[in-house]
Amino acid sequence: MASAAPLHPVARQALLAALDEGWADPARLYHEGRRARLLLDASRETAADAVGCRPDELVFTPSGTRALHDGVAGAMAGRRRTGRHVVVSAVEHSAVLHAADAYDSTAVGVDRAGRVAPADVTAALRPDTALVCLQSANHEVGTVQPVAEVAELCRTAGVPLLVDAAQSLAWGRVDGGWSLLAGSAHKWGGPPGVGLLAVRKGTRFAPRHPADERESGRSPGFENLPAIVAAAASLRAVREEAAREAARLSALVDLIRTRVPEVVPDVEVVGHGTLRLPHLVTFSCLYVDGEALLTALDRAGFSVSSGSSCTSSTLTPSHVLKAMGVLSEGNVRVSLPPGTAEADVARFLDVLPPLVAEVRSHLGPPPAVTPAPGAGLVVDSLGKLCPIPVIELAKVIGDVPVGGTVTVLSDDEAAALDIPAWCSMRAQDYLGATPAAPGTAYLVRRRT
Amino acid sequence: MASAAPLHPVARQALLAALDEGWADPARLYHEGRRARLLLDASRETAADAVGCRPDELVFTPSGTRALHDGVAGAMAGRRRTGRHVVVSAVEHSAVLHAADAYDSTAVGVDRAGRVAPADVTAALRPDTALVCLQSANHEVGTVQPVAEVAELCRTAGVPLLVDAAQSLAWGRVDGGWSLLAGSAHKWGGPPGVGLLAVRKGTRFAPRHPADERESGRSPGFENLPAIVAAAASLRAVREEAAREAARLSALVDLIRTRVPEVVPDVEVVGHGTLRLPHLVTFSCLYVDGEALLTALDRAGFSVSSGSSCTSSTLTPSHVLKAMGVLSEGNVRVSLPPGTAEADVARFLDVLPPLVAEVRSHLGPPPAVTPAPGAGLVVDSLGKLCPIPVIELAKVIGDVPVGGTVTVLSDDEAAALDIPAWCSMRAQDYLGATPAAPGTAYLVRRRT
């Protein structure tokens, strides 16, 4: 259960064969060079078939991130006469958001399931919009986006659509009239070091690199041929198993989505229940230090990820969870690699409840509670990180009468997300936030 | 005998081990992520030791080309207040020249051996010079550049020096006070898909990519960990064998440099005789179609490269040979991979003379010779590619008296290089070129 898929056996075989067979530079004339060129051409045809484009529309890049960076930059430069405005969804991968930062960008919001509304994309279009970027499916919560509908409205508006298909290429083609599409081999069981960028004919595109004759001038540098061959071979192999494996993993994800809230109290399963990737599921646990839970799961043999601020080096919660307005506290992301056994999932569901209980038992000391002037209490959580502010709020809410208020002072960015989410889960009234010095004051009224 | 070194056995072992062991994302918290981080850190230390810098000064990139592109762009952006002028040698790799094209660039010439004179670099410096780029050794002719001297003059002038060390890193560190250094793993027997960029502390550097937390923000994208591990392991391995292997291969190169002109008539060995890489040797053969010779050598089992216009898809001769002013006709570049046996070189020296003779026997039809008004002949070689114009010149030079002239009309760019080079080799007087319509008229006076 990891965020990058393990290397597919076919990728491993192809990598070894290509290391032995196709070593030389495809641009060279001599014998090995010709063989390398044949391997590169065959890989391009395989990948193009899987993507649903022509081989001459597809180039290999050194990573999915570089494919996205180069795709955004090339598309924006190709339409620089139109303008410098780019529309992105608020839940795109950071590679897209960072690439868009170089331009005038508008982020379209999502609903609580993480889904973009096509009408919101239409509303964000301007006369100077040069590009729209939308992922095929979200990398943290698995929600599938309405790409075909957005592609159609983009076509009508005459604006190209770039699709980050990294999460979904293993499962199938991206339908609809997209203009550019990016993917990453290590997401489909291929090796790292390979991304792909498709630019459909008729799409204006101006590469931003220094000149280079390789990959149609769209991706400079010596081609990583063994990895490209392995990437293409594994994409074909995973596609052959995709329909059956998707159905099987999806049932296991359904099991997790149903069972986790039954066996663990105070859990929110996030992301869309049906319009989702087959293999990905994410939930958040109240009163849990995400890093402590990840470490405990790791010791039990489960590698999971988290969008909690407490597990990130930047100490900010995931921008995806933030845009969805869902709890980030104790966030756990489970990605089932192909072949995951039902027994592994059953064992995960067995170990999770005691581990969460264990982590919750290490709650901090009682909060410093101050009777506020008037009818409320003030909890000073300044300097304390997620999940402490919510834990302290939960501890004192019973100390005020129904109708009374608790003010939580916090300087942790996650509190802005987690305190309203807690109120919603616990049926308390969240009255809003006001700047304090230092930090922010979050006002909650006891309802029950 | 190829331009990319074959994969070193240590690289292959390390690649396989890393594929099995260190798969996951080094940025993740969980168990496999921690192991991946350890492997990445150890590889960085190994590479930094081989380069001669601190580990935190070195990042891995997806290729040597990207390291050069990113190095030039980052160094120029870091010193944009100084100006947009960059000094390069005329014989840099095309990746450097193309990267420099985005700025105001001055190319410093080289001597007939391909070597830069430090005084010429000093003369090219301006108040707005932000960067100097110099290769450690040339990729086509093997000539070693005076990097330490140029680094010292750059230090005095307060301008950073970027060294393209791709050709020499297998053999040792680059001496001297360079500021930035780039390399490419597949040149030292590592896998493709890995380059490195070192930026010494105190060097102003502003990455030009969209923001990305990986590799100190200097190289975005998921790290290609298996290839990085293999690259570092093979660099250490080739260095352990470097001194002995350099001496052995250098003796074989000396044999080729001495014997080829003895066994093949009308050959020019190019590049410096002693200030050179141990494994690389280049020569040019008059009256030879380079592509035909490469194909013949390929059939005989020898993979070589060429800087002739007749073997390149762009139909222009190598910019390196052009800058050196040496013959590009029938150019052959031989790169001896580590472990090359003396017997292989002996066999090469055996097969080369009959193959050159065979290719030369397919000379074109007699030229269309026109008695020119006055004392000379005019040869119309318009529309004919290298080596035909020189062959036609050689055929008719005996038809004019000593002191008489031959005018060659040619529209092949290689003629500008090859006709003067032929005159120099054949002790004839080259009187210069004048524009004709179409093409160029090259005037030669018979001396002997």
Short mmCIF file of all heavy atoms in Angstrom, two decimals, chain A residues 3 5 12 15-16 19-20 23 30-32 34 62 66 98 186 192-193 211 219-220 222 224 298 303-304 333, chain B residues 3 5 12 15-16 19-20 23 28 30-32 34 62 65-66 98 186 192-193 211 219-220 222 224 298 303-304:
data_model
loop_
_atom_site.label_atom_id
_atom_site.label_comp_id
_atom_site.label_asym_id
_atom_site.label_seq_id
_atom_site.Cartn_x
_atom_site.Cartn_y
_atom_site.Cartn_z
N SER A 3 2.34 4.94 -2.42
CA SER A 3 1.82 5.94 -3.35
C SER A 3 2.38 5.75 -4.76
O SER A 3 1.76 6.14 -5.72
CB SER A 3 2.07 7.34 -2.84
OG SER A 3 3.37 7.75 -3.15
N ALA A 5 3.30 2.89 -7.51
CA ALA A 5 3.05 1.46 -7.71
C ALA A 5 4.39 0.72 -7.75
O ALA A 5 5.38 1.25 -8.22
CB ALA A 5 2.29 1.26 -9.01
N ARG A 12 10.17 -4.96 -15.28
CA ARG A 12 11.48 -5.45 -14.86
C ARG A 12 12.15 -6.27 -15.97
O ARG A 12 13.32 -6.04 -16.30
CB ARG A 12 11.32 -6.31 -13.59
CG ARG A 12 12.61 -6.63 -12.91
CD ARG A 12 12.40 -7.64 -11.77
NE ARG A 12 13.62 -8.38 -11.58
CZ ARG A 12 14.57 -8.02 -10.71
NH1 ARG A 12 14.40 -6.97 -9.95
NH2 ARG A 12 15.67 -8.72 -10.60
N LEU A 15 13.08 -3.94 -18.80
CA LEU A 15 14.21 -3.10 -18.43
C LEU A 15 15.51 -3.87 -18.60
O LEU A 15 16.48 -3.39 -19.18
CB LEU A 15 14.02 -2.66 -16.97
CG LEU A 15 14.80 -1.48 -16.44
CD1 LEU A 15 14.68 -0.27 -17.34
CD2 LEU A 15 14.29 -1.12 -15.04
N LEU A 16 15.52 -5.10 -18.14
CA LEU A 16 16.72 -5.93 -18.26
C LEU A 16 17.04 -6.21 -19.72
O LEU A 16 18.19 -6.09 -20.16
CB LEU A 16 16.53 -7.25 -17.51
CG LEU A 16 16.44 -7.10 -16.00
CD1 LEU A 16 16.28 -8.46 -15.34
CD2 LEU A 16 17.68 -6.41 -15.47
N LEU A 19 18.34 -3.08 -21.35
CA LEU A 19 19.70 -2.77 -20.92
C LEU A 19 20.69 -3.58 -21.73
O LEU A 19 21.76 -3.10 -22.09
CB LEU A 19 19.87 -3.07 -19.43
CG LEU A 19 19.22 -2.07 -18.47
CD1 LEU A 19 19.33 -2.54 -17.03
CD2 LEU A 19 19.87 -0.70 -18.61
N ASP A 20 20.32 -4.82 -22.03
CA ASP A 20 21.22 -5.67 -22.80
C ASP A 20 21.16 -5.38 -24.29
O ASP A 20 22.15 -5.47 -24.99
CB ASP A 20 20.85 -7.15 -22.56
CG ASP A 20 21.11 -7.55 -21.12
OD1 ASP A 20 21.95 -6.91 -20.48
OD2 ASP A 20 20.47 -8.51 -20.65
N TRP A 23 21.04 -0.39 -26.03
CA TRP A 23 21.74 0.56 -25.22
C TRP A 23 22.03 1.88 -25.90
O TRP A 23 21.97 2.94 -25.30
CB TRP A 23 23.06 -0.08 -24.74
CG TRP A 23 23.61 0.76 -23.69
CD1 TRP A 23 24.77 1.47 -23.74
CD2 TRP A 23 23.01 1.06 -22.44
NE1 TRP A 23 24.93 2.17 -22.58
CE2 TRP A 23 23.85 1.95 -21.78
CE3 TRP A 23 21.82 0.68 -21.83
CZ2 TRP A 23 23.56 2.46 -20.52
CZ3 TRP A 23 21.52 1.19 -20.58
CH2 TRP A 23 22.39 2.06 -19.94
N TYR A 30 24.98 3.94 -36.57
CA TYR A 30 25.50 2.59 -36.61
C TYR A 30 24.49 1.56 -36.08
O TYR A 30 23.43 1.91 -35.58
CB TYR A 30 26.85 2.51 -35.90
CG TYR A 30 26.87 3.14 -34.54
CD1 TYR A 30 26.25 2.54 -33.46
CD2 TYR A 30 27.50 4.37 -34.34
CE1 TYR A 30 26.25 3.11 -32.22
CE2 TYR A 30 27.50 4.95 -33.09
CZ TYR A 30 26.88 4.32 -32.04
OH TYR A 30 26.87 4.89 -30.80
N HIS A 31 24.89 0.31 -36.18
CA HIS A 31 24.02 -0.83 -35.93
C HIS A 31 23.22 -0.72 -34.62
O HIS A 31 21.98 -0.77 -34.62
CB HIS A 31 24.90 -2.08 -35.90
CG HIS A 31 24.13 -3.34 -35.77
ND1 HIS A 31 23.23 -3.73 -36.73
CD2 HIS A 31 24.12 -4.28 -34.79
CE1 HIS A 31 22.69 -4.88 -36.35
NE2 HIS A 31 23.22 -5.23 -35.19
N GLU A 32 23.90 -0.56 -33.48
CA GLU A 32 23.19 -0.47 -32.20
C GLU A 32 22.24 0.72 -32.20
O GLU A 32 21.19 0.68 -31.57
CB GLU A 32 24.17 -0.33 -31.02
CG GLU A 32 24.95 -1.58 -30.70
CD GLU A 32 26.23 -1.67 -31.50
OE1 GLU A 32 26.35 -0.93 -32.50
OE2 GLU A 32 27.09 -2.48 -31.13
N ARG A 34 20.58 1.90 -34.75
CA ARG A 34 19.37 1.56 -35.50
C ARG A 34 18.44 0.68 -34.65
O ARG A 34 17.23 0.85 -34.65
CB ARG A 34 19.74 0.84 -36.80
CG ARG A 34 20.35 1.76 -37.83
CD ARG A 34 20.27 1.15 -39.23
NE ARG A 34 20.88 -0.16 -39.28
CZ ARG A 34 22.18 -0.39 -39.50
NH1 ARG A 34 23.00 0.62 -39.69
NH2 ARG A 34 22.64 -1.61 -39.54
N PRO A 62 11.43 13.03 -18.88
CA PRO A 62 12.13 12.35 -17.77
C PRO A 62 11.25 12.08 -16.55
O PRO A 62 11.69 11.39 -15.64
CB PRO A 62 13.25 13.33 -17.41
CG PRO A 62 13.35 14.27 -18.55
CD PRO A 62 11.99 14.36 -19.13
N ARG A 66 7.95 16.70 -15.12
CA ARG A 66 8.50 17.46 -16.25
C ARG A 66 7.51 17.50 -17.41
O ARG A 66 7.43 18.49 -18.14
CB ARG A 66 9.82 16.84 -16.71
CG ARG A 66 10.87 16.81 -15.63
CD ARG A 66 11.95 17.84 -15.84
NE ARG A 66 12.91 17.78 -14.76
CZ ARG A 66 14.08 18.42 -14.74
NH1 ARG A 66 14.42 19.20 -15.74
NH2 ARG A 66 14.88 18.32 -13.72
N HIS A 98 2.17 24.67 -9.44
CA HIS A 98 3.42 25.43 -9.48
C HIS A 98 3.71 25.95 -10.88
O HIS A 98 4.19 27.06 -11.06
CB HIS A 98 4.59 24.58 -8.98
CG HIS A 98 4.56 24.33 -7.50
ND1 HIS A 98 4.27 25.32 -6.58
CD2 HIS A 98 4.78 23.22 -6.76
CE1 HIS A 98 4.32 24.82 -5.36
NE2 HIS A 98 4.61 23.54 -5.44
N HIS A 186 5.86 5.61 -13.35
CA HIS A 186 5.95 4.91 -12.07
C HIS A 186 4.58 4.84 -11.39
O HIS A 186 4.42 4.13 -10.40
CB HIS A 186 7.04 5.50 -11.17
CG HIS A 186 6.68 6.75 -10.47
ND1 HIS A 186 6.27 6.77 -9.17
CD2 HIS A 186 6.70 8.03 -10.87
CE1 HIS A 186 6.04 8.02 -8.81
NE2 HIS A 186 6.29 8.80 -9.82
N PRO A 192 10.70 4.54 -12.60
CA PRO A 192 10.80 6.01 -12.53
C PRO A 192 11.67 6.50 -13.68
O PRO A 192 12.32 5.70 -14.35
CB PRO A 192 11.47 6.26 -11.18
CG PRO A 192 12.25 5.03 -10.90
CD PRO A 192 11.52 3.89 -11.58
N GLY A 193 11.65 7.79 -13.91
CA GLY A 193 12.49 8.35 -14.96
C GLY A 193 11.80 8.42 -16.31
O GLY A 193 12.44 8.73 -17.31
N ALA A 211 17.02 24.64 -27.88
CA ALA A 211 16.82 23.74 -29.01
C ALA A 211 17.45 22.37 -28.76
O ALA A 211 18.49 22.27 -28.12
CB ALA A 211 17.43 24.36 -30.27
N SER A 219 11.43 17.50 -25.65
CA SER A 219 11.99 16.94 -24.43
C SER A 219 13.48 16.70 -24.63
O SER A 219 13.87 15.65 -25.11
CB SER A 219 11.26 15.64 -24.07
OG SER A 219 11.69 15.19 -22.80
N PRO A 220 14.31 17.69 -24.28
CA PRO A 220 15.73 17.56 -24.58
C PRO A 220 16.42 16.50 -23.74
O PRO A 220 15.96 16.14 -22.66
CB PRO A 220 16.29 18.95 -24.26
CG PRO A 220 15.30 19.61 -23.40
CD PRO A 220 13.97 18.96 -23.65
N PHE A 222 19.40 12.94 -23.87
CA PHE A 222 19.55 11.55 -24.32
C PHE A 222 18.35 10.74 -23.82
O PHE A 222 18.04 10.75 -22.64
CB PHE A 222 20.85 11.02 -23.70
CG PHE A 222 21.29 9.69 -24.21
CD1 PHE A 222 21.93 9.58 -25.44
CD2 PHE A 222 21.10 8.55 -23.46
CE1 PHE A 222 22.36 8.35 -25.90
CE2 PHE A 222 21.53 7.31 -23.91
CZ PHE A 222 22.16 7.22 -25.14
N ASN A 224 16.11 7.98 -22.31
CA ASN A 224 16.34 6.92 -21.32
C ASN A 224 15.69 5.65 -21.86
O ASN A 224 14.64 5.22 -21.40
CB ASN A 224 15.73 7.33 -19.99
CG ASN A 224 16.08 6.37 -18.88
OD1 ASN A 224 16.61 5.28 -19.13
ND2 ASN A 224 15.78 6.75 -17.66
N ASP A 298 3.08 1.70 9.89
CA ASP A 298 4.32 1.28 9.27
C ASP A 298 4.91 0.09 10.02
O ASP A 298 5.31 -0.92 9.43
CB ASP A 298 5.29 2.47 9.27
CG ASP A 298 6.53 2.25 8.40
OD1 ASP A 298 6.52 1.31 7.59
OD2 ASP A 298 7.49 3.01 8.56
N SER A 303 2.31 0.54 4.55
CA SER A 303 2.84 1.82 4.10
C SER A 303 1.69 2.66 3.57
O SER A 303 1.12 2.34 2.54
CB SER A 303 3.86 1.61 2.99
OG SER A 303 5.00 0.97 3.48
N VAL A 304 1.36 3.71 4.29
CA VAL A 304 0.29 4.59 3.82
C VAL A 304 0.83 6.01 3.76
O VAL A 304 1.95 6.29 4.17
CB VAL A 304 -0.94 4.51 4.75
CG1 VAL A 304 -1.52 3.11 4.76
CG2 VAL A 304 -0.58 4.98 6.15
N ARG A 333 -4.10 7.89 3.69
CA ARG A 333 -4.39 7.56 2.30
C ARG A 333 -3.87 6.17 2.02
O ARG A 333 -2.70 5.87 2.21
CB ARG A 333 -3.72 8.57 1.37
CG ARG A 333 -3.87 8.26 -0.08
CD ARG A 333 -3.56 9.46 -0.97
NE ARG A 333 -2.16 9.75 -1.18
CZ ARG A 333 -1.49 10.80 -0.70
NH1 ARG A 333 -2.09 11.66 0.09
NH2 ARG A 333 -0.23 11.00 -0.98
N SER B 3 29.66 5.92 -28.88
CA SER B 3 29.77 7.24 -28.27
C SER B 3 29.22 7.25 -26.85
O SER B 3 29.61 8.07 -26.05
CB SER B 3 29.10 8.29 -29.14
OG SER B 3 27.72 8.31 -28.90
N ALA B 5 29.16 5.06 -23.40
CA ALA B 5 29.83 3.89 -22.84
C ALA B 5 28.81 2.80 -22.55
O ALA B 5 27.67 3.09 -22.20
CB ALA B 5 30.57 4.29 -21.58
N ARG B 12 24.80 -2.24 -13.54
CA ARG B 12 23.74 -3.21 -13.76
C ARG B 12 23.32 -3.88 -12.46
O ARG B 12 22.13 -3.96 -12.14
CB ARG B 12 24.23 -4.28 -14.75
CG ARG B 12 23.13 -5.15 -15.29
CD ARG B 12 23.70 -6.30 -16.14
NE ARG B 12 22.79 -7.41 -16.08
CZ ARG B 12 21.83 -7.63 -16.97
NH1 ARG B 12 21.69 -6.83 -17.99
NH2 ARG B 12 21.01 -8.64 -16.83
N LEU B 15 21.56 -1.32 -10.28
CA LEU B 15 20.24 -1.02 -10.82
C LEU B 15 19.25 -2.10 -10.40
O LEU B 15 18.15 -1.81 -9.93
CB LEU B 15 20.34 -0.95 -12.34
CG LEU B 15 19.25 -0.27 -13.14
CD1 LEU B 15 18.93 1.11 -12.61
CD2 LEU B 15 19.69 -0.15 -14.60
N LEU B 16 19.66 -3.34 -10.52
CA LEU B 16 18.78 -4.44 -10.13
C LEU B 16 18.51 -4.41 -8.63
O LEU B 16 17.37 -4.56 -8.18
CB LEU B 16 19.42 -5.77 -10.51
CG LEU B 16 19.52 -6.00 -12.02
CD1 LEU B 16 20.14 -7.36 -12.32
CD2 LEU B 16 18.14 -5.90 -12.65
N LEU B 19 16.20 -1.55 -7.82
CA LEU B 19 14.83 -1.81 -8.26
C LEU B 19 14.12 -2.67 -7.21
O LEU B 19 12.93 -2.49 -6.94
CB LEU B 19 14.82 -2.54 -9.60
CG LEU B 19 15.15 -1.67 -10.82
CD1 LEU B 19 15.26 -2.52 -12.08
CD2 LEU B 19 14.10 -0.60 -11.02
N ASP B 20 14.85 -3.58 -6.61
CA ASP B 20 14.23 -4.44 -5.61
C ASP B 20 14.13 -3.77 -4.25
O ASP B 20 13.18 -3.97 -3.51
CB ASP B 20 15.07 -5.72 -5.46
CG ASP B 20 15.03 -6.56 -6.72
OD1 ASP B 20 14.06 -6.41 -7.48
OD2 ASP B 20 15.96 -7.35 -6.95
N TRP B 23 12.57 1.27 -3.92
CA TRP B 23 11.63 1.68 -4.92
C TRP B 23 10.90 2.97 -4.61
O TRP B 23 10.64 3.79 -5.46
CB TRP B 23 10.61 0.55 -5.15
CG TRP B 23 9.85 0.85 -6.35
CD1 TRP B 23 8.53 1.12 -6.42
CD2 TRP B 23 10.37 1.00 -7.67
NE1 TRP B 23 8.18 1.41 -7.71
CE2 TRP B 23 9.31 1.36 -8.49
CE3 TRP B 23 11.64 0.89 -8.23
CZ2 TRP B 23 9.46 1.59 -9.84
CZ3 TRP B 23 11.79 1.12 -9.57
CH2 TRP B 23 10.72 1.46 -10.36
N ARG B 28 8.57 10.39 1.19
CA ARG B 28 7.53 9.84 2.04
C ARG B 28 8.07 9.41 3.39
O ARG B 28 9.24 9.09 3.53
CB ARG B 28 6.87 8.63 1.37
CG ARG B 28 6.18 8.96 0.08
CD ARG B 28 4.88 9.69 0.33
NE ARG B 28 4.36 10.19 -0.94
CZ ARG B 28 3.47 11.13 -1.04
NH1 ARG B 28 2.97 11.71 0.03
NH2 ARG B 28 3.04 11.54 -2.22
N TYR B 30 6.98 6.71 5.28
CA TYR B 30 6.91 5.32 5.69
C TYR B 30 8.21 4.58 5.40
O TYR B 30 9.13 5.10 4.78
CB TYR B 30 5.70 4.64 5.06
CG TYR B 30 5.54 4.85 3.59
CD1 TYR B 30 6.37 4.24 2.68
CD2 TYR B 30 4.55 5.71 3.10
CE1 TYR B 30 6.24 4.44 1.34
CE2 TYR B 30 4.42 5.91 1.75
CZ TYR B 30 5.26 5.28 0.87
OH TYR B 30 5.14 5.48 -0.48
N HIS B 31 8.24 3.34 5.85
CA HIS B 31 9.44 2.52 5.87
C HIS B 31 10.22 2.53 4.55
O HIS B 31 11.40 2.88 4.52
CB HIS B 31 9.01 1.09 6.23
CG HIS B 31 10.16 0.17 6.40
ND1 HIS B 31 11.11 0.37 7.38
CD2 HIS B 31 10.52 -0.95 5.72
CE1 HIS B 31 12.01 -0.59 7.29
NE2 HIS B 31 11.67 -1.40 6.31
N GLU B 32 9.57 2.16 3.43
CA GLU B 32 10.27 2.13 2.15
C GLU B 32 10.78 3.51 1.78
O GLU B 32 11.80 3.66 1.12
CB GLU B 32 9.35 1.63 1.02
CG GLU B 32 9.02 0.15 1.07
CD GLU B 32 7.81 -0.13 1.94
OE1 GLU B 32 7.40 0.76 2.71
OE2 GLU B 32 7.29 -1.25 1.85
N ARG B 34 11.85 5.80 3.87
CA ARG B 34 13.08 6.07 4.62
C ARG B 34 14.26 5.35 3.99
O ARG B 34 15.36 5.88 3.89
CB ARG B 34 12.91 5.65 6.08
CG ARG B 34 11.99 6.57 6.86
CD ARG B 34 12.19 6.41 8.36
NE ARG B 34 12.04 5.04 8.79
CZ ARG B 34 10.87 4.47 9.11
NH1 ARG B 34 9.75 5.18 9.06
NH2 ARG B 34 10.81 3.22 9.50
N PRO B 62 17.66 14.65 -14.81
CA PRO B 62 17.27 13.52 -15.67
C PRO B 62 18.24 13.23 -16.81
O PRO B 62 18.08 12.22 -17.49
CB PRO B 62 15.91 13.95 -16.23
CG PRO B 62 15.46 15.08 -15.39
CD PRO B 62 16.68 15.75 -14.89
N THR B 65 22.16 16.69 -20.55
CA THR B 65 21.63 17.84 -21.29
C THR B 65 20.81 18.74 -20.37
O THR B 65 20.98 19.96 -20.36
CB THR B 65 20.75 17.35 -22.46
OG1 THR B 65 21.59 16.63 -23.36
CG2 THR B 65 20.10 18.50 -23.19
N ARG B 66 19.93 18.11 -19.56
CA ARG B 66 19.12 18.93 -18.64
C ARG B 66 20.00 19.60 -17.59
O ARG B 66 19.71 20.71 -17.14
CB ARG B 66 18.06 18.07 -17.98
CG ARG B 66 17.11 17.41 -18.95
CD ARG B 66 15.75 18.07 -18.98
NE ARG B 66 14.90 17.40 -19.95
CZ ARG B 66 13.60 17.62 -20.09
NH1 ARG B 66 12.97 18.49 -19.32
NH2 ARG B 66 12.90 16.99 -20.99
N HIS B 98 23.10 25.72 -27.39
CA HIS B 98 21.66 26.02 -27.51
C HIS B 98 21.16 26.77 -26.28
O HIS B 98 20.34 27.68 -26.39
CB HIS B 98 20.86 24.73 -27.70
CG HIS B 98 21.04 24.12 -29.07
ND1 HIS B 98 21.03 24.86 -30.22
CD2 HIS B 98 21.23 22.84 -29.45
CE1 HIS B 98 21.20 24.06 -31.27
NE2 HIS B 98 21.34 22.82 -30.82
N HIS B 186 25.57 8.25 -18.39
CA HIS B 186 25.77 7.25 -19.44
C HIS B 186 27.10 7.44 -20.15
O HIS B 186 27.52 6.58 -20.92
CB HIS B 186 24.58 7.19 -20.41
CG HIS B 186 24.55 8.25 -21.45
ND1 HIS B 186 25.00 8.05 -22.72
CD2 HIS B 186 24.12 9.52 -21.40
CE1 HIS B 186 24.83 9.16 -23.42
NE2 HIS B 186 24.31 10.06 -22.65
N PRO B 192 21.35 5.52 -18.62
CA PRO B 192 20.79 6.80 -19.08
C PRO B 192 19.76 7.26 -18.06
O PRO B 192 19.36 6.51 -17.17
CB PRO B 192 20.14 6.45 -20.41
CG PRO B 192 19.81 5.00 -20.31
CD PRO B 192 20.83 4.39 -19.39
N GLY B 193 19.35 8.50 -18.18
CA GLY B 193 18.33 9.02 -17.27
C GLY B 193 18.90 9.67 -16.02
O GLY B 193 18.15 10.01 -15.12
N ALA B 211 8.23 25.80 -8.96
CA ALA B 211 8.67 25.35 -7.64
C ALA B 211 8.51 23.84 -7.50
O ALA B 211 7.58 23.24 -8.02
CB ALA B 211 7.85 26.06 -6.57
N SER B 219 15.89 20.53 -9.46
CA SER B 219 15.61 19.52 -10.47
C SER B 219 14.27 18.86 -10.15
O SER B 219 14.22 17.89 -9.39
CB SER B 219 16.73 18.47 -10.51
OG SER B 219 16.54 17.59 -11.60
N PRO B 220 13.18 19.40 -10.70
CA PRO B 220 11.86 18.90 -10.32
C PRO B 220 11.58 17.49 -10.81
O PRO B 220 12.19 17.03 -11.77
CB PRO B 220 10.90 19.88 -10.98
CG PRO B 220 11.67 20.58 -12.03
CD PRO B 220 13.12 20.49 -11.67
N PHE B 222 9.92 13.33 -9.60
CA PHE B 222 10.21 12.13 -8.80
C PHE B 222 11.63 11.65 -9.12
O PHE B 222 11.98 11.44 -10.27
CB PHE B 222 9.18 11.07 -9.19
CG PHE B 222 9.16 9.85 -8.33
CD1 PHE B 222 8.52 9.86 -7.10
CD2 PHE B 222 9.76 8.68 -8.76
CE1 PHE B 222 8.48 8.73 -6.31
CE2 PHE B 222 9.73 7.54 -7.98
CZ PHE B 222 9.09 7.56 -6.75
N ASN B 224 14.69 9.47 -9.96
CA ASN B 224 14.86 8.17 -10.61
C ASN B 224 15.86 7.38 -9.78
O ASN B 224 17.02 7.19 -10.16
CB ASN B 224 15.36 8.39 -12.03
CG ASN B 224 15.40 7.11 -12.83
OD1 ASN B 224 15.23 6.02 -12.28
ND2 ASN B 224 15.62 7.23 -14.11
N ASP B 298 30.52 -0.59 -39.82
CA ASP B 298 29.45 -1.21 -39.05
C ASP B 298 29.31 -2.68 -39.43
O ASP B 298 29.23 -3.56 -38.57
CB ASP B 298 28.15 -0.44 -39.33
CG ASP B 298 27.02 -0.82 -38.39
OD1 ASP B 298 27.28 -1.45 -37.35
OD2 ASP B 298 25.86 -0.48 -38.70
N SER B 303 31.38 0.02 -34.40
CA SER B 303 30.44 1.12 -34.30
C SER B 303 31.23 2.40 -34.07
O SER B 303 31.82 2.56 -33.00
CB SER B 303 29.49 0.91 -33.13
OG SER B 303 28.64 -0.17 -33.38
N VAL B 304 31.25 3.27 -35.04
CA VAL B 304 31.94 4.54 -34.87
C VAL B 304 30.98 5.68 -35.17
O VAL B 304 29.85 5.45 -35.60
CB VAL B 304 33.18 4.63 -35.80
CG1 VAL B 304 34.19 3.54 -35.46
CG2 VAL B 304 32.77 4.56 -37.25
#
